[in-house]
Amino acid sequence: MNPRTTRFAPSPSGLLHLGNARTALFSLLAALPDGRFLLRIEDSDRARASLAFDEALRADLRWLGFGPYMNETAALRQSQRASVYDEYLMRLQAQGVVYPCFCTEAELGAERAGLRAQGLPPRYLGRCAGIDPRVAEERIAQGETPVWRFRVPPGQEITFHDVVRGPQHVATTLLGDFVVRRAQGDAMFFFANALDDALSGVTLVLRGEDHLANTPRQILILRALGLPVPDYGHLPLVLSEAGAPLSKRDGAFSLASLRDEGFLPLAVVNYLARLGAVVGSDRLLPLPELAQLFDCRRIGHAPARYDREQLLHWQRLAMAEAPLAEWIPLVSHRVPEEDRLRFVTATRPNALFPGDYRLWADILYGEPESPDAAARTALAAVGPAFFQAASAHLEAGGAATDLPAVLKDAGYGGKALFHALRAALTGRVAGPELKDVLALMPRALTVRRLARIRDEEC
């Protein structure tokens, strides 16, 4: 297979969500290892496009690890390419493939209503297709501002192979003559989009299934201009857990929100690679290895639903495989240097997110944690004598690590002993191994916390 050139062409009108990110990921995986992955900024919707969102989406892609594979400085921006679109529209005009349309919104609305009343899909019936070019020129000279429509050839069938969905067939009679340039002079999205793909050498376009209706029109445009037509693949939507399509306006599913929560990029990438697709491996894989297993034919046709538990599964694997040394800087504000590696090792099983290391550093070396509800229940279950025995042992100079044995000799045991002792020291019944808590926590802090609980219980 020849190396592919793919692209990701987001609109900077909101935060990237998981559906956008999956499209970008699949496009990158399809290009690796020897192809090109292009970033293009489709900012033709000037009312909604924002430089802040542009910068945010680039930051998201870099965070995912795409930076080494894309050239951000060469990214095309539609807002800067009006002259290119005008040039190619003039070529179509010279061929007579496009024509000016002076129909009003009222006329078009009536036409659509009539078709619906007949049970037919709404489309433009070609009211202006036969206007004499000289008459059209006169009307434009008098100040009328038409849209420009592409003259769809009648009685033909457009066929293409969708790399995800298989063979596609669309009758041109279903399309109607479509607008390629608005009355204000702006190129329509799918006209600019198709030109940018062809002119930048894109050979495979992966995008959401909501663009499927654009594909036959874009194929007609590119064929009329004698430009290469890329392969297309249309991805099913990604739905929320409630079954609703994801939206840029819903920050709950944005990459920024996941990053802020503490998800690792490798976890997100591995989750997205399997969201509605079959990878063929259950291992946590870096991008190059995911690319080796990626196949557009393994992408499902049904909508994929966001599953937080699956995302957390990959987060656990990513956290477990990250080098221990990576987390040491997170705890340097609280944990003595000589304890840091041992602390990170001990708390690793309880760190689902990087921030959990900071949390446990504060618990074991900082101010006392207020016991949560489960901890208060565990404290009440053993009674005051438990804490009197523990405090007496420490105040007599006994080692903190000997506390379980001392309390066992005092008649306590099992889950009640360990839950109550951990609750007194950390404010929680779950956490790192109690032996590690006792070994790591400064002795003065251990004495103070047990004495406080003893005094409260008494």
Side-chain angles (χ1 to χ4, degrees):
M1 180 183 295
N2 293 328
R4 288 167 165 163
T5 296
T6 65
R7 52 78 161 172
F8 178 53
S11 168
S13 57
L15 296 173
L16 286 188
H17 58 59
L18 288 171
N20 308 137
R22 186 187 69 161
T23 300
L25 174 63
F26 285 1
S27 299
L28 172 60
L29 296 180
L32 292 177
D34 301 319
R36 294 190 303 152
F37 172 67
L38 309 180
L39 174 64
R40 185 167 77 232
I41 306 300
E42 299 201 333
D43 58 350
S44 57
D45 185 351
R46 297 175 189 176
R48 296 177 58 202
S50 160
L51 180 59
F53 286 134
D54 182 334
E55 294 172 347
L57 71 87
R58 291 171 187 265
D60 285 338
L61 295 175
R62 290 193 295 268
W63 177 71
L64 285 175
F66 294 4
Y69 307 104
M70 65 182 185
N71 186 344
E72 295 181 59
T73 59
L76 298 179
R77 302 182 69 89
Q78 284 187 340
S79 61
Q80 300 171 354
R81 292 173 58 78
S83 61
V84 175
Y85 309 140
D86 289 346
E87 175 190 344
Y88 282 90
L89 180 69
M90 290 174 63
R91 294 189 188 187
L92 295 177
Q93 290 172 344
Q95 299 176 44
V97 180
V98 296
Y99 62 87
C101 172
F102 300 90
C103 294
T104 66
E105 280 301 316
E107 291 170 332
L108 294 172
E111 185 173 85
R112 289 191 292 266
L115 288 169
R116 290 193 186 96
Q118 300 174 55
L120 300 173
R123 62 188 179 89
Y124 183 66
L125 296 178
R127 183 196 303 262
C128 293
I131 292 180
D132 187 293
R134 289 172 297 180
V135 173
E137 288 178 9
E138 291 175 2
R139 295 179 66 172
I140 293 172
Q142 292 170 4
E144 292 192 61
T145 54
V147 300
W148 286 83
R149 291 185 180 272
F150 187 92
R151 201 183 298 274
V152 176
Q156 296 185 18
E157 185 176 69
I158 302 168
T159 62
F160 64 97
H161 182 81
D162 189 305
V163 300
V164 175
R165 298 167 176 272
Q168 303 292 309
H169 307 269
V170 180
T172 56
T173 53
L174 299 176
L175 299 179
D177 293 351
F178 52 86
V179 177
V180 292
R181 187 166 76 167
R182 299 182 180 90
Q184 298 89 337
D186 297 331
M188 290 293 288
F189 159 77
F190 55 81
F191 179 61
N193 181 275
L195 281 177
D196 289 340
D197 286 335
L199 296 177
S200 58
V202 170
T203 60
L204 172 63
V205 173
L206 294 179
R207 57 189 181 185
E209 64 182 6
D210 49 328
H211 290 286
L212 184 58
N214 292 330
T215 302
R217 296 173 171 85
Q218 293 181 312
I219 290 173
L220 286 173
I221 290 169
L222 295 178
R223 286 176 179 172
L225 289 168
L227 294 174
V229 178
D231 292 330
Y232 292 94
H234 294 89
L235 309 175
L237 298 179
V238 177
L239 307 178
S240 70
E241 291 172 301
L246 302 188
S247 168
K248 288 182 178 180
R249 289 175 289 279
D250 185 354
F253 299 100
S254 70
L255 291 189
S257 69
L258 295 179
R259 184 168 63 248
D260 291 345
E261 192 175 349
F263 281 97
L264 300 185
L266 188 59
V268 176
V269 162
N270 273 264
Y271 171 67
L272 290 176
R274 297 164 173 86
L275 188 55
V278 175
V279 169
S281 170
D282 58 3
R283 294 187 300 112
L284 187 77
L285 299 172
L287 281 167
E289 292 186 36
L290 283 172
Q292 291 177 6
L293 298 174
F294 179 76
D295 188 334
C296 291
R297 294 169 297 183
R298 291 183 170 185
I299 300 171
H301 297 180
R305 187 165 297 204
Y306 170 69
D307 185 335
R308 183 173 172 84
E309 285 305 311
Q310 278 297 306
L311 178 56
L312 289 172
H313 163 74
W314 293 107
Q315 174 72 3
R316 292 185 186 95
L317 293 184
M319 288 290 292
E321 292 197 13
L324 286 173
E326 186 171 327
W327 311 123
I328 288 177
L330 298 180
V331 302
S332 59
H333 72 293
R334 187 71 82 178
V335 182
E337 184 175 359
E338 64 274 12
D339 285 351
R340 288 171 190 167
L341 181 58
R342 184 171 55 157
F343 169 85
V344 170
T345 303
T347 54
R348 183 171 202 159
N350 300 97
L352 181 57
F353 297 104
D356 291 335
Y357 285 112
R358 286 190 292 265
L359 172 66
W360 280 105
D362 290 339
I363 290 175
L364 297 188
Y365 292 89
E367 294 302 314
E369 275 280 298
S370 298
D372 61 21
R376 288 194 296 271
T377 299
L379 296 174
V382 293
F386 179 94
F387 303 103
Q388 291 171 345
S391 292
H393 169 74
L394 293 178
E395 290 168 358
T401 50
D402 292 338
L403 279 171
V406 169
L407 291 168
K408 185 176 181 180
D409 289 343
Y412 302 95
K415 185 182 295 184
L417 187 161
F418 290 96
H419 279 190
L421 190 52
R422 185 186 281 109
L425 296 174
T426 69
R428 303 169 178 226
V429 296
E433 291 287 339
L434 185 58
K435 63 180 178 60
D436 294 320
V437 171
L438 293 169
L440 287 165
M441 184 176 286
R443 177 183 175 83
L445 193 57
T446 303
V447 171
R448 193 160 61 246
R449 291 191 182 181
L450 285 171
R452 176 174 61 86
I453 297 296
R454 177 199 62 195
D455 295 343
E456 289 176 356
E457 292 295 313
C458 294

